[in-house]
C-alpha cells in the first residue's frame, strides 16, 4: 500500500516523459522504512552525501511494481543529503517546496521530526530564505513570522520576541539544542544555518529556560556545516545611512568519502543607519567542523561576535500620562550623544553521536560562552502627550560565563504491532553573572524636540552599585534535569502518541553587588509531564493535540521603575509553571503546507505594586488561534503567510480593576504576507513583498494607555546573473515603503509597557558572488 502511494505521488508530479523530479519534494512520511524494497534506498540516502538514482525503467521497478509499458520514463535528479548540524546520521530535514522552510525541525529531546508527524506547531526557516530576505539578525528574520512579534529588552537594545503573547528573550535562544551559548542580546545571521521556531510551552522537550521565558515558544538556531559541494561565497552590502558590510562564507569536505567538513564564516559591518546619528560596528567569525562516519559522527563550533552600538535610539517610557503620544518620525533620534552599548562574546560547542546498534544511539553535547557587556544608556520618559518628559542615565557592566550540556540515549523497539521511539536524556546548565551599575536622576527632554546633553559627567545625586572596573558575582544559576519520552505508533503509523516527563531542578542565588552577601536563593524541583497525539487520516492531513507545561525560574525584578529603585531589584521570584493545551490540524500536499492551531496557556502574573516591589499575583491567560501557510502555489511563486488571533487577559490578580484586562503589549490580531514572484519576462529576476500588520496594544495593566496598531509594506527584488564568468545575485529592498510612523512594540519585559519606535523608510542592497 505504501509503495503504491509513493509511485502515485511520483507519477502525479512527473507530468510528461523525461521530466525531472526532486525527491526532496516528496514528503518524507511517504518513504516508509518498513517497505522492504525502499528500506535500503532510504537508509542510504540518509547516511551518504550524494546518491544518484537510476533513470531507467528498472529504477521504477525497484520503487513499485508498475507496468513498464504504461509508466513514463522519469529522470531523477541527484539527491543531496545535507550535513547534519546535530551530528545525526539523518542529516537536516530537507527544504520544503519553494526552499523557504524545511519539511521538519528539531523538537527538543525528540530530535528531528517531520512537521506532519509532531503534535506541536513548528517552522524551520532555511538559510536560503534568510539570505534572500537580507535578514541581519534573528529578529530581522522573525518579524516575517506571522506568529512572532519582535520587541526589545528592558532598558537596553536586546532582541526579544512575543510568541503567543509571551516574551521569549534572546537569552533563552537555543544553539543546536543548548541554552545560553550564543550572544545574549543580538545574534547575527552569519552564525546560523536555520532558525527553528517551536511554538508553545516546552519544559518536557527542552528543559526550563534559564531566564524564565519560553512559555509561548522556543527558538533554536542551527550552526552552519560544510555541504557536499565546495562553497566560496563573498557578499557585499550597503544600507541607507552609509552602512557597509562584507561577509565571506567558505566550506569544503576532505578525506575518504568526504568524511571531514570545514566551514568558515566571517563578516564586518560598519557605518550609520537610516536613523539620525545612530551607528554600529559588527565583527564576527565562526568555524564549523564535522566528521561523519558509519558508526559515529562528531561536530564542533567556535564563534566570536563583537557588536558595538553608538547613539542607538532608546525606548520610550510613559509616566503619568492619560494617553499615548503619537509615534514620531521614523528617522528621528532622542538618544544622548555619549550613549553606547558594547557586547563581545566567545563561544564554542562540541557534539557527538555513536550507534551501539542499528536501533540504539548515544549522543552528547557540551558548550560554553564568555560574554562581556559595557553600556551607557539614557532612556526617555514622556510625562505629557506633547512629548515633554525627562531623560535619565543608566550605566552597567556585565560578565557572563555559561556552560551547557546534554547527554542522551535513544532507540527503537517493538511490542507486538506497536512501534516505539524512545529517548532518555539529561541536561545541565550553569551560569555565573557578574555586574555593576550606576544611575542618576532625570533631565528635561522632549520626544519630538530632543535635547542633546553633551556633558556626561555624573552628578552628586548619582547612585553607584558595585564596581564597574571590577564587577563582582551577582547571580548564580544552575539547572539540572532528567527526561524520558516514548512515541508509540499504531495502525501503520497513522496514530502516534508521545508520552514524556522531565524532572527539573532549579537553583539560583543572588548576591549583594557591594558586599557579596547572599540576598536571595532557592533550590526547587518539579515534574513537568507532557502528552501529544497525532492522527493522520490521509497522507495530506494530520490532526493533533497536546498538553505540556513550561517551568522557569521566577521572573527577575527590574532594578529601577520610573527612576526609582525597585525594593527587590535584581532578585528572582520563585519558580513558576505555565500550563498549555492545544489542538491543531495540518495540511501538506507537497506543494502547499498549512497549520491551524488553537491553544490556551495560563502563566503566573508578576508586576510592580504600589510599594515599588516586584511581586507575583494571579495569572495571564492566553487563548488564541494561529494559521500559517507556506510553500509554492505555482512554479514561479513562493508564499509564507499567516494570521494570529490572541485573547490574552489578566486573571485573579487580586485587583478587580485589573481582572479581565488585556496583557501589556499583546495585540488581538496580527498577520503577515510574504510573497516572492519570478518574473517570466526577465530570466533570473524575482520580485518580493512583505505586508506586516499588528493590531492595537495596551501599555499598562489598567488598559488606559492604548497604542495604535500599524501596517507596513516592504518591497524588494533580486536578480541572478553572470558577471565575468561568476554567478552573482543582486538584491535590493525598501523597508516601510509607505513611510508609516508607528510604535513597533510595546513592552518586552514582565509588567513593563515601554514603547519602541518602528523603522523608517530605508534602502538596503547587496551582491553575493559565488566563485
Amino acid at each position: 500500500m505504501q509503495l503504491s502511494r509513493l509511485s502515485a505521488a511520483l507519477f502525479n508530479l512527473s507530468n510528461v516523459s523525461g521530466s525531472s523530479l526532486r525527491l526532496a519534494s516528496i514528503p518524507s512520511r511517504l518513504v516508509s522504512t518498513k517497505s522492504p524494497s525502499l528500506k535500503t534506498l532510504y537508509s542510504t540516502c540518509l547516511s551518504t552525501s550524494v546518491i544518484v538514482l537510476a533513470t531507467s525503467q528498472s529504477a521504477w521497478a525497484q520503487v513499485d511494481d508498475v507496468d513498464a509499458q504504461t509508466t513514463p520514463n522519469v529522470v531523477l535528479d541527484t539527491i543531496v543529503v545535507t550535513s547534519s548540524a546535530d551530528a545525526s546520521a539523518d542529516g537536516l530535514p530537507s527544504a520544503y517546496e519553494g526552499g523557504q522552510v524545511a519539511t521538519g525541525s528539531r523538537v527538543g529531546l525528540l530530535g528531528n521530526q517531520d512537521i506532519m508527524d509532531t503534535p506541536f506547531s513548528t517552522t524551520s526557516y532555511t538559510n536560503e530564505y534568510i539570505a534572500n530576505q537580507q535578514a541581519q539578525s534573528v529578529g530581522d528574520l522573525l518579524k516575517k513570522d506571522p506568529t512572532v512579534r519582535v520587541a526589545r529588552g528592558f532598558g537596553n537594545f536586546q532582541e526579544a520576541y512575543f510568541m503567543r503573547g509571551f516574551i521569549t528573550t534572546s537569552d533563552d535562544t537555543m544553539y543546536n539544542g543548548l541554552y545560553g551559548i550564543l550572544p545574549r542580546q543580538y545574534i547575527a545571521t552569519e552564525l546560523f544555518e536555520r532558525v527553528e521556531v517551536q511554538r508553545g510551552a516546552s519544559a518536557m522537550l527542552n528543559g526550563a529556560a534559564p531566564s524564565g521565558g519560553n512559555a509561548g515558544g522556543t527558538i533554536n538556531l542551527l550552526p552552519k556545516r560544510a555541504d557536499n559541494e565546495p562553497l566560496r561565497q563573498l557578499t557585499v552590502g550597503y544600507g541607507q545611512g552609509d552602512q557597509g558590510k562584507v561577509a565571506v562564507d567558505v566550506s569544503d569536505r576532505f578525506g575518504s568519502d568526504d568524511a571531514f567538513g570545514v566551514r568558515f564564516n566571517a563578516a564586518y559591518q560598519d557605518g550609520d543607519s537610516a536613523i539620525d546619528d545612530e551607528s554600529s560596528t559588527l565583527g564576527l567569525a565562526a568555524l564549523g567542523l564535522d566528521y561523519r562516519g558509519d558508526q559515529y559522527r562528531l561536530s564542533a563550533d567556535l564563534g566570536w561576535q563583537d557588536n558595538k552600538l553608538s547613539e542607538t535610539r532608546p525606548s520610550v517610557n510613559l509616566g503619568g500620562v492619560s494617553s499615548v503620544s503619537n509615534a514620531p518620525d521614523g528617522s528621528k533620534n532622542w538618544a544622548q550623544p555619549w550613549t553606547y552599548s558594547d557586547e563581545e562574546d566567545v563561544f564554542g560547542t562540541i557534539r557527538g553521536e555513536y550507534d551501539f546498534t542499528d536501533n540504539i544511539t548515544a549522543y552528547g553535547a557540551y558548550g560554553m560562552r564568555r560574554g562581556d557587556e559595557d553600556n551607557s544608556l539614557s532612556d526617555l520618559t514622556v510625562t505629557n502627550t506633547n512629548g515633554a518628559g525627562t531623560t535619565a542615565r543608566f550605566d552597567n557592566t556585565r560578565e557572563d560565563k555559561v556552560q551547557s550540556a546534554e547527554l542522551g540515549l535513544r532507540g527503537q523497539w517493538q511490542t507486538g504491532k506497536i512501534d516505539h521511539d524512545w529517548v532518555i536524556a539529561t541536561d545541565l546548565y550553569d551560569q555565573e553573572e557578574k555586574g555593576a551599575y550606576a544611575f542618576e536622576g532625570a533631565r528635561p527632554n522632549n520626544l519630538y524636540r530632543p535635547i542633546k546633553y553633551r556633558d556626561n559627567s555624573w552628578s552628586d545625586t548619582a547612585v553607584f552599585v558595585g564596581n564597574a572596573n571590577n564587577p563582582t558575582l551577582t547571580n548564580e544559576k544552575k539547572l539540572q534535569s532528567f527526561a524520558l519520552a516514548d512515541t508509540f505508533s499504531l495502525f501503520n503509523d497513522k496514530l502516534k502518541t508521545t508520552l514524556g516527563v522531565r524532572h527539573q531542578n532549579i537553583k539560583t542565588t543572588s548576591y549583594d553587588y557591594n558586599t557579596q552577601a547572599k540576598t536571595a536563593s532557592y533550590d526547587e524541583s518539579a515534574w513537568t509531564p507532557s502528552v501529544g497525539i497525532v492522527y493522520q487520516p490521509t497522507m495530506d492531513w494530520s490532526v493533533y493535540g497536546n498538553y505540556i507545561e513550561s517551568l522557569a525560574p521566577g521572573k527577575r525584578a527590574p532594578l529601577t521603575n520610573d527612576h526609582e529603585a525597585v525594593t527587590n531589584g535584581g532578585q528572582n521570584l520563585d519558580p513558576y509553571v505555565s500550563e498549555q493545551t492545544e489542538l491543531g490540524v495540518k495540511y501538506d500536499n507537497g506543494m502547499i503546507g498549512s497549520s491551524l492551531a488553537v491553544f490556551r496557556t495560563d502563566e503566573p502574573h508578576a508586576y510592580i505594586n504600589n510599594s515599588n516591589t516586584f511581586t507575583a499575583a494571579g495569572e495571564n491567560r492566553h487563548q488564541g488561534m494561529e494559521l500559517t501557510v507556506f510553500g509554492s502555489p505555482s512554479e514561479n511563486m513562493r508564499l509564507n503567510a499567516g494570521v494570529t488571533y490572541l485573547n490574552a487577559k489578566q486573571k485573579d490578580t487580586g485587583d478587580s480593576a485589573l481582572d479581565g484586562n488585556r496583557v501589556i503589549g499583546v495585540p488581538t490580531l496580527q498577520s503577515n504576507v510574504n510573497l516572492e514572484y519570478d518574473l517570466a519576462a526577465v530570466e533570473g529576476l524575482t520580485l518580493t513583498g512583505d505586508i506586516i500588520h499588528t493590531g492595537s496594544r495596551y501599555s499598562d495593566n489598567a488598559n488606559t494607555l492604548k497604542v495604535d496598531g500599524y501596517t507596513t509594506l516592504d518591497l524588494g527584488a533580486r536578480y541572478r546573473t553572470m558577471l565575468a564568468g561568476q554567478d552573482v545575485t543582486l538584491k535590493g529592498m525598501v523597508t516601510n515603503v509607505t513611510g508609516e510612523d508607528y510604535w513597533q512594540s510595546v513592552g518586552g519585559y514582565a509588567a513593563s509597557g515601554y514603547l519602541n519606535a518602528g523603522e523608517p523608510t530605508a534602502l538596503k542592497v547587496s551582491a553575493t558572488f559565488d566563485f
Side-chain angles (χ1 to χ4, degrees), residues 273-528:
S273 76
I275 298 172
D276 297 343
D277 302 322
E278 184 179 278
S279 63
S280 65
T281 301
L282 174 70
L284 65 87
L287 178 66
L289 308 173
D290 73 281
Y291 172 81
R292 54 194 191 197
D294 293 334
Q295 195 170 10
Y296 65 94
R297 280 76 53 192
L298 299 171
S299 66
D301 297 280
L302 181 64
W304 165 79
Q305 178 181 281
D306 186 11
N307 188 33
K308 299 182 185 297
L309 308 176
S310 178
E311 286 193 64
T312 303
R313 182 169 63 189
S315 302
V316 174
N317 301 307
L318 300 176
V321 295
S322 58
S323 62
V324 177
S325 301
N326 293 329
D329 186 296
S331 64
K332 298 303 180 184
N333 192 356
W334 45 91
Q336 293 303 310
W338 36 264
T339 56
Y340 69 90
S341 177
D342 294 346
E343 180 194 19
E344 184 175 12
D345 294 271
V346 177
F347 57 92
T349 66
I350 56 174
R351 180 175 288 274
E353 185 176 278
Y354 183 82
D355 301 328
F356 287 108
T357 69
D358 290 341
N359 294 322
I360 299 178
T361 298
Y363 65 92
Y366 170 80
M368 67 178 301
R369 174 178 66 89
R370 173 64 184 266
D372 294 281
E373 299 175 27
D374 185 22
N375 305 278
S376 184
L377 309 170
S378 182
D379 63 3
L380 173 65
T381 298
V382 171
T383 56
N384 192 301
T385 53
N386 65 10
T390 57
T391 290
R393 180 179 177 182
F394 179 83
D395 287 15
N396 77 296
T397 299
R398 173 169 170 160
E399 297 178 3
D400 284 305
K401 182 179 179 181
V402 176
Q403 298 181 83
S404 189
E406 66 173 343
L407 188 66
L409 192 68
R410 62 173 177 263
Q412 300 85 35
W413 60 294
Q414 191 172 32
T415 56
K417 295 184 178 181
I418 303 176
D419 296 322
H420 296 264
D421 288 284
W422 56 267
V423 60
I424 301 173
T426 182
D427 294 83
L428 304 171
Y429 179 89
D430 184 280
Q431 178 181 353
E432 294 181 359
E433 178 188 333
K434 296 180 179 181
Y437 66 94
F439 65 92
E440 69 174 340
R443 300 177 182 181
N445 214 321
N446 192 288
L447 173 64
Y448 306 115
R449 297 176 298 279
I451 302 172
K452 301 290 186 177
Y453 292 98
R454 302 291 171 181
D455 182 9
N456 67 335
S457 58
W458 292 99
S459 69
D460 294 337
T461 61
V463 176
F464 297 89
V465 181
N467 184 353
N469 296 319
N470 184 26
T472 55
L473 185 65
T474 59
N475 281 278
E476 285 184 307
K477 191 176 298 179
K478 297 181 184 294
L479 310 179
Q480 300 179 22
S481 68
F482 171 81
L484 55 93
D486 182 22
T487 299
F488 49 94
S489 306
L490 292 166
F491 311 125
N492 197 26
D493 290 345
K494 284 189 174 182
L495 178 64
K496 294 185 177 182
T497 302
T498 299
L499 299 176
V501 67
R502 184 182 295 267
H503 181 265
Q504 182 85 55
N505 176 258
I506 301 176
K507 183 177 181 180
T508 66
T509 307
S510 300
Y511 300 90
D512 185 270
Y513 282 77
N514 295 307
T515 67
Q516 288 291 277
K518 286 186 180 181
T519 57
S521 66
Y522 58 75
D523 187 349
E524 302 288 345
S525 298
W527 291 90
T528 52

Side-chain angles (χ1 to χ4, degrees), residues 575-591:
Y576 60 93
V577 174
S578 301
E579 299 180 341
Q580 171 190 292
T581 54
E582 179 179 351
L583 293 173
V585 59
K586 301 177 183 180
Y587 173 75
D588 173 15
N589 66 5
M591 301 293 288

Side-chain angles (χ1 to χ4, degrees), residues 231-307:
L231 177 67
R232 308 286 188 270
Q233 196 170 83
L234 171 68
T235 299
V236 293
Y238 177 81
Q240 188 167 328
D242 201 23
Q243 181 76 236
K245 182 175 183 178
V246 60
V248 294
D249 189 357
V250 295
S251 71
D252 214 336
R253 304 204 67 86
F254 309 92
S256 177
D257 298 324
D258 288 338
F260 293 94
V262 179
R263 186 156 181 180
F264 176 75
N265 283 266
Y268 181 78
Q269 178 176 314
D270 191 17
D272 300 331
S273 76
I275 298 172
D276 297 343
D277 302 322
E278 184 179 278
S279 63
S280 65
T281 301
L282 174 70
L284 65 87
L287 178 66
L289 308 173
D290 73 281
Y291 172 81
R292 54 194 191 197
D294 293 334
Q295 195 170 10
Y296 65 94
R297 280 76 53 192
L298 299 171
S299 66
D301 297 280
L302 181 64
W304 165 79
Q305 178 181 281
D306 186 11
N307 188 33

Side-chain angles (χ1 to χ4, degrees), residues 462-650:
V463 176
F464 297 89
V465 181
N467 184 353
N469 296 319
N470 184 26
T472 55
L473 185 65
T474 59
N475 281 278
E476 285 184 307
K477 191 176 298 179
K478 297 181 184 294
L479 310 179
Q480 300 179 22
S481 68
F482 171 81
L484 55 93
D486 182 22
T487 299
F488 49 94
S489 306
L490 292 166
F491 311 125
N492 197 26
D493 290 345
K494 284 189 174 182
L495 178 64
K496 294 185 177 182
T497 302
T498 299
L499 299 176
V501 67
R502 184 182 295 267
H503 181 265
Q504 182 85 55
N505 176 258
I506 301 176
K507 183 177 181 180
T508 66
T509 307
S510 300
Y511 300 90
D512 185 270
Y513 282 77
N514 295 307
T515 67
Q516 288 291 277
K518 286 186 180 181
T519 57
S521 66
Y522 58 75
D523 187 349
E524 302 288 345
S525 298
W527 291 90
T528 52
S530 176
V531 57
I533 300 175
V534 180
Y535 177 66
Q536 292 184 257
T538 69
M539 290 189 302
D540 294 344
W541 292 92
S542 286
V543 180
Y544 75 93
N546 68 64
Y547 169 83
I548 193 168
E549 299 176 352
S550 175
L551 175 69
K555 291 183 173 68
R556 187 176 181 182
L559 300 174
T560 61
N561 178 43
D562 290 338
H563 316 311
E564 294 184 14
V566 175
T567 59
N568 57 345
Q571 298 181 20
N572 289 79
L573 302 179
D574 290 337
Y576 60 93
V577 174
S578 301
E579 299 180 341
Q580 171 190 292
T581 54
E582 179 179 351
L583 293 173
V585 59
K586 301 177 183 180
Y587 173 75
D588 173 15
N589 66 5
M591 301 293 288
I592 285 290
S594 182
S595 175
L596 175 67
V598 180
F599 59 87
R600 190 183 98 176
T601 306
D602 294 333
E603 179 193 51
H605 178 62
Y607 69 103
I608 300 174
N609 62 22
N610 294 332
S611 300
N612 217 32
T613 299
F614 191 66
T615 185
E619 65 182 14
N620 293 331
R621 172 167 291 176
H622 293 223
Q623 302 177 100
M625 179 180 68
E626 298 166 339
L627 173 66
T628 60
V629 182
F630 54 88
S632 184
S634 64
E635 185 178 355
N636 61 344
M637 182 183 296
R638 289 160 296 283
L639 176 68
N640 179 31
V643 61
T644 298
Y645 168 79
L646 278 169
N647 181 24
K649 298 290 184 68
Q650 302 172 61

